[in-house]
Amino acid sequence: MSDKIFIFDTTLRDGEQSPGASMNIHEKFRLAQQLSKLNVDVIEAGFPAASLGDFECVKNIADNVRGSQIAALARCNVKDIDTAWEALKRGEHPRIHTFLATSEIHMQHKLRMSREQVLELAVASVKHAARYTGNVEFSAEDASRSDLDFVCRVFEAVIEAGATTLNFPDTTGYALPGEYGAQIRYLMENIKNIDKAIISVHCHNDLGLAVANSLAAINNGARQVECTINGLGERAGNTAMEELVMILRTRGETAGLHTDITTEHIFPTSRLVSTITGMPVQPNKAIVGANAFLHESGIHQDGVLKERSTYEIMNPKDVGISTSNIILGKHSGRHALRDKIREMGYADLGEEEINRVFERFKAVADLKKEMFEEDLEAIIMDEVLRVPEAFQLLHLGAMSGSRSLPTAAVKMLVHGEEKETASLGVGPIDAAFRAIAELAGTDSKLLYFSVSSITGGTDAQGEVMVRIEDHGKVVVGQGADPDIITAAAKAYLTGLNRLEYLKQENKRREQKQ
């Protein structure tokens, strides 16, 4: 009988710590719904004490998302724990996740506390959290660089205080698989009451070993892995959930291990995270990269055509990647499109959202000969994640060439008022951005610009991602269209609308206070 590995997803918390990857309350809720559909065991929704916005995000997810446990992070102090519970208390399966550093370097330089003080605070904090719920997790920050006997003392004490999950993180990504596995084995052998809790691991990828370290931990007794979609997270990121899950699915029989992840939702979830955060997935990324299931070599192509398993150890359909184009075109009706959307895993879309997708679908289908699932996925992402539009594009015309000045003419609705202008630029996209910025009255800075093709062929939809900064606020914009200049304009406007949305949210919060 195989052992279950619990998947603790922290994309909404640690993943959001990637520079520029912050999400608003609607984006976090949409992603939490997708993570629940993916069937992760625990969704770490955020750090409620960090800000009012984070509190509201966690509360919204705990109140409305069902199936997965919802966790909130809290430092080892009463105020943090109380705030976490206030956000979680209406959840179906709430978990308080509290943490305190145990390494000498952290205790001496950051906490300025002795070992006994750390032990006492950890126990008191877990006891306080356990008054609210029997589902308490304690993390020993920087555990992999801590004295193991001290970690054993702390873990033993917090289990008695009410902790049911003990997290042993490699906070700095410093560990090697052999030594990390040995550390987990030492904990399993030296914590007297370990049978009352499970060991969790949270590995960072600074040396590119997060997945390998997580596997080493599992092989030595850990039964929960904290990870993120696309390996997103602080610095070089975290254990990539899709990689760990598919390793266990593909090779799990050798170790007698499994997860409950619905793997067919892996690729759509990866796309959703990339769209929301503006963090593109590198083409050669395992499992979800654009090249993960492509074969360029003639020898490989011949082998796969004769027998897929000659060069493919996984079926792309198992992670939600379609290998055939959908039978939809410009003559397809709303009913056929709705059925396809449901088949792709978006049964929860409302009628208004489906209508917006249908309008965009018909517009794109008029321009393309073939419509692929990836095209429809891009349209869904673009329309479903839309925030209230202070700025709407009505018309865009651009001119460029080797002997002409790049020019763009733009007509927009700005807070309901129709405006238009024309601008010059170093290229047609730059000209379009200048015109949009003038009409929107923004002095925001473009930090990042990325263009990629969603599908193959000269009629492929182009996908543009931008990152924009305005007075310390950084947002991501995404746009897709067969015309790359239009896609860029849509991405820029999405970003500007998100900035405007943040400004309005801040005003509302200030009024509440």
Side-chain angles (χ1 to χ4, degrees):
M1 190 172 176
S2 69
D3 281 357
K4 175 180 172 177
I5 303 302
F6 290 84
I7 298 299
F8 177 112
D9 184 275
T10 184
T11 307
L12 293 169
R13 203 275 301 169
D14 198 320
E16 194 190 23
Q17 292 174 200
S18 294
S22 60
M23 310 173 219
N24 64 42
I25 189 169
H26 301 295
E27 292 164 342
K28 280 194 169 186
F29 183 67
R30 174 64 186 148
L31 181 51
Q33 289 178 307
Q34 183 64 24
L35 291 171
S36 179
K37 192 181 297 181
L38 192 60
N39 205 31
V40 304
D41 297 288
V42 185
I43 299 171
E44 187 167 47
F47 189 174
S51 69
L52 179 60
D54 227 29
F55 175 88
E56 290 174 349
C57 285
V58 175
K59 185 177 184 301
N60 185 43
I61 291 167
D63 288 355
N64 297 290
V65 175
R66 296 293 179 258
S68 303
Q69 298 177 45
I70 307 300
L73 190 68
R75 290 166 295 195
C76 276
N77 66 59
V78 169
K79 184 179 178 182
D80 272 28
I81 293 168
D82 289 346
T83 303
W85 180 248
E86 188 62 29
L88 290 171
K89 65 183 181 182
R90 292 184 182 84
E92 186 178 33
H93 303 294
R95 174 183 294 196
I96 295 176
H97 178 197
T98 190
F99 69 98
L100 190 63
T102 55
S103 68
E104 290 298 330
I105 190 168
H106 277 246
M107 289 189 292
Q108 181 181 344
H109 297 287
K110 187 181 76 171
L111 300 177
R112 296 182 181 175
M113 296 170 66
S114 67
R115 287 190 176 194
E116 292 307 314
Q117 287 173 317
V118 165
L119 178 59
E120 184 180 339
L121 180 57
V123 169
S125 299
V126 170
K127 281 184 177 178
H128 187 67
R131 292 189 184 104
Y132 291 124
T133 175
N135 190 356
V136 178
E137 176 171 343
F138 174 80
S139 286
E141 188 184 5
D142 204 28
S144 63
R145 296 193 297 172
S146 301
D147 176 70
L148 285 184
D149 289 327
F150 178 58
V151 174
C152 287
R153 279 185 66 201
V154 173
F155 278 2
E156 210 168 282
V158 297
I159 290 174
E160 288 303 313
T164 52
T165 303
L166 309 171
N167 185 32
F168 186 88
D170 183 28
T171 304
T172 58
Y174 183 72
L176 299 176
E179 66 186 14
Y180 195 62
Q183 288 175 322
I184 299 300
R185 186 167 62 252
Y186 189 88
L187 298 179
M188 297 296 295
E189 293 172 352
N190 289 278
I191 298 174
K192 295 176 185 177
N193 51 0
I194 192 62
D195 59 306
K196 296 179 181 178
I198 67 169
I199 295 289
S200 174
V201 291
H202 181 128
C203 298
H204 278 265
N205 205 39
D206 298 70
L207 293 175
L209 294 170
V211 174
N213 283 334
S214 297
L215 286 169
I218 287 169
N219 289 333
N220 285 278
R223 285 298 176 264
Q224 177 178 282
V225 176
E226 306 191 3
C227 43
T228 59
I229 303 297
N230 299 338
L232 204 63
E234 187 85 21
R235 303 185 311 281
N238 294 276
T239 299
M241 190 240 274
E242 63 279 358
E243 295 178 22
L244 180 81
V245 166
M246 291 311 293
I247 288 169
L248 293 178
R249 176 173 172 138
T250 307
R251 301 299 306 274
E253 77 287 346
T254 61
L257 302 168
H258 75 278
T259 74
D260 286 343
I261 295 297
T262 306
T263 61
E264 290 77 11
H265 289 300
I266 284 177
F267 184 71
T269 308
S270 169
R271 285 277 304 156
L272 179 62
V273 169
S274 180
T275 299
I276 289 175
T277 63
M279 298 287 184
V281 176
Q282 66 194 61
N284 62 325
K285 168 79 169 62
I287 314 301
V288 293
N291 296 344
F293 293 96
L294 297 182
H295 304 277
E296 180 76 14
S297 162
I299 294 173
H300 286 213
Q301 291 172 345
D302 178 65
V304 169
L305 288 171
K306 290 175 178 173
E307 168 53 48
R308 185 185 58 79
S309 62
T310 53
Y311 288 101
E312 283 187 0
I313 60 171
M314 296 171 284
N315 189 330
K317 290 184 178 179
D318 288 343
V319 298
I321 297 176
S322 172
T323 55
S324 61
N325 56 312
I326 64 175
I327 309 173
L328 287 175
K330 65 180 182 179
H331 301 297
S332 299
R334 196 182 305 268
H335 185 263
L337 182 68
R338 185 185 288 109
D339 284 348
K340 188 62 191 179
I341 288 172
R342 286 173 179 164
E343 182 186 318
M344 290 169 64
Y346 294 100
D348 57 338
L349 293 191
E351 197 63 29
E352 184 183 340
E353 291 170 323
I354 289 175
N355 288 340
R356 291 205 305 265
V357 170
F358 181 70
E359 288 178 15
R360 276 285 301 282
F361 170 80
K362 295 292 275 188
V364 174
D366 277 335
L367 301 172
K368 283 174 60 69
K369 293 180 180 178
E370 294 179 301
M371 285 293 289
F372 295 86
E373 279 196 3
E374 290 83 356
D375 293 309
L376 188 51
E377 181 87 35
I379 292 170
I380 292 170
M381 292 301 98
D382 205 11
E383 293 298 326
V384 170
L385 294 175
R386 179 187 290 176
V387 297
E389 293 183 305
F391 313 112
Q392 296 180 49
L393 183 66
L394 298 178
H395 171 76
L396 168 65
M399 181 182 71
S400 185
S402 60
R403 296 196 178 188
S404 60
L405 287 173
T407 308
V410 174
K411 181 185 288 187
M412 286 169 47
L413 279 180
V414 180
H415 299 291
E417 182 183 351
E418 194 171 298
K419 294 184 178 182
E420 59 183 319
T421 190
S423 293
L424 299 175
V426 295
I429 292 175
D430 180 54
F433 280 18
R434 287 172 185 267
I436 290 170
E438 180 184 334
L439 293 176
T442 180
D443 57 356
S444 56
K445 297 177 182 177
L446 183 66
L447 303 178
Y448 175 82
F449 180 91
S450 170
V451 181
S452 59
S453 172
I454 294 171
T455 53
T458 56
D459 65 346
Q461 279 199 93
E463 183 176 50
V464 175
M465 287 188 180
V466 298
R467 192 173 298 130
I468 308 168
E469 187 268 335
D470 185 18
H471 296 96
K473 292 183 176 64
V474 179
V475 297
V476 168
Q478 181 266 357
D481 197 271
D483 181 87
I484 200 63
I485 301 171
T486 303
K490 287 179 178 179
Y492 190 44
L493 282 167
T494 300
L496 293 179
N497 279 317
R498 286 178 177 171
L499 278 174
E500 188 66 21
Y501 175 81
L502 287 177
K503 291 176 185 176
Q504 297 305 318
E505 283 290 292
N506 286 339
K507 286 180 182 177
R508 280 192 286 271
R509 286 171 189 159
E510 288 171 3
Q511 289 170 356
K512 283 183 182 179
Q513 293 174 339

